[in-house]
Amino acid sequence: MTPSADVSTILNRILDTAADNLRVAKILIQLGLDPNNVTYDAIFNRLLELFLANITLANLLALIGAIFFVATLLTQTMVPLRVANMIGCAFFAGFGALAGNITTFLLYLLMVPINAWRLRQMLQLVKMARGATQGDTSMEWLKPFMTERKYKQGDVLFKKDDAANEMMLTVTGKFLVKEISVELPPGRLMGELGFLSPDNKRTATVTCLEDGHVLTITYEKLLEIYFQNPQFGYYFLVLTSQRLLENIARLEGIIAQNKIATQPTPN
């Protein structure tokens, strides 16, 4: 017998065995049902027997954990997702402890504080963003999501009409918006309008007047935060609107001063 014939014979035996094991009648017998008397009542009664035979506190905790896990898949925003995940992990940890499965217990027990920390971070983000809309324009709430970048005197951070892909927060040093001759002290946003403009272009040129550093966050990260919690997006839009109104008021003041300066003096 050739090797190819041996392989063919083995494959045929495997397929025959698999087909035999997958026959409906054999599956029904393995489930404890009579192939000659399959009714809805028989199926329901058998499932009820299996449920009652396996109902333990450990399995009940696992069932509740599975329900909350499914809830995380159906949740669209991050705060309720974190809450559901924490509850589900707590129940799965309880299941692992009662079932004597140390791996399952430690895995889900560790996930509870991780989810709690991320939930607290998101709640703080929303809380401080809300404070910004009520007059507190501090951007401390964004710092955990930003990265540091240093600049030296004379450096150009970006130019007008450049492609924009990040927003900046000044921390130390001074920066000049050339088009309107405005100095930006520490604690001011730069580049937020590029996030809102349709073509994502810079609306002004900013240079570094003295050595300092800024914190940056990409527009992709801002979008990620927004989709995780749309409420943050609303507060961010309100905050940027306040910045726009400040710029408009500043320009109106400059125009008014220029009009006064150009008026003829009386004889």
Side-chain angles (χ1 to χ4, degrees), residues 2-267:
T2 62
S4 60
D6 290 340
V7 173
S8 177
T9 302
I10 293 173
L11 288 176
N12 288 333
R13 290 179 59 187
I14 293 174
L15 292 174
D16 291 340
T17 303
D20 182 62
N21 289 333
L22 292 176
R23 286 195 178 98
V24 175
K26 193 165 185 176
I27 294 175
L28 292 175
I29 293 173
Q30 291 176 347
L31 291 175
L33 296 171
D34 183 1
N36 299 319
N37 185 28
V38 180
T39 62
Y40 288 114
D41 289 339
I43 295 174
F44 175 79
N45 290 332
R46 181 54 183 165
L47 292 176
L48 182 60
E49 289 177 8
L50 292 174
F51 176 77
L52 294 176
N54 291 279
I55 186 169
T56 62
L57 180 57
N59 289 338
L60 184 61
L61 293 179
L63 176 62
I64 298 175
I67 292 173
F68 278 99
F69 176 76
V70 173
T72 64
L73 300 178
L74 300 176
T75 303
Q76 296 182 348
T77 54
M78 188 55 65
V79 171
L81 185 149
R82 292 292 181 187
V83 173
N85 206 339
M86 284 175 56
I87 297 174
C89 288
F91 279 104
F92 276 126
F95 162 75
L98 293 177
N101 190 326
I102 189 64
T103 304
T104 300
F105 171 70
L106 292 178
L107 172 63
Y108 287 101
L109 185 65
L110 180 63
M111 291 176 65
V112 172
I114 293 176
N115 278 284
W117 177 71
R118 294 295 293 172
L119 174 63
R120 180 180 180 276
Q121 192 178 44
M122 186 58 63
L123 291 175
Q124 283 291 109
L125 177 67
V126 174
K127 178 181 177 181
M128 299 189 76
R130 184 184 295 113
T133 66
Q134 297 172 352
D136 179 12
T137 56
S138 170
M139 298 297 293
E140 294 289 329
W141 45 279
L142 264 183
K143 286 185 177 180
F145 303 92
M146 307 179 85
T147 56
E148 183 178 337
R149 186 179 299 161
K150 295 182 179 180
Y151 289 98
K152 295 183 179 181
Q153 183 178 3
D155 287 347
V156 177
L157 280 69
F158 49 81
K159 296 181 179 179
K160 184 177 181 180
D161 295 328
D162 282 351
N165 58 10
E166 62 183 5
M167 184 179 72
M168 302 178 181
L169 174 67
T170 60
V171 180
T172 62
K174 291 183 180 179
F175 303 88
L176 175 69
V177 184
K178 295 185 67 174
E179 282 73 12
I180 56 177
S181 300
V182 172
E183 292 187 9
L184 300 178
R188 295 299 300 270
L189 277 181
M190 299 185 295
E192 73 277 16
L193 297 183
F195 177 62
L196 301 176
S197 63
D199 53 359
N200 293 128
K201 293 291 185 66
R202 297 298 186 191
T203 58
T205 301
V206 176
T207 60
C208 183
L209 294 179
E210 63 180 34
D211 293 357
H213 74 277
V214 302
L215 295 175
T216 68
I217 182 171
T218 64
Y219 295 159
E220 288 80 5
K221 186 64 177 178
L222 283 176
L223 284 173
E224 178 184 336
I225 297 173
Y226 166 74
F227 284 118
Q228 288 180 355
N229 197 316
Q231 191 178 23
F232 158 77
Y234 166 75
Y235 294 132
F236 179 78
L237 288 175
V238 172
L239 180 63
T240 52
S241 297
Q242 290 177 347
R243 300 289 190 186
L244 282 173
L245 292 175
E246 290 176 4
N247 291 338
I248 292 173
R250 185 183 297 110
L251 291 174
E252 288 177 344
I254 294 174
I255 292 173
Q257 291 177 0
N258 291 337
K259 286 183 177 179
I260 294 175
T262 56
Q263 286 181 355
T265 56
N267 294 329

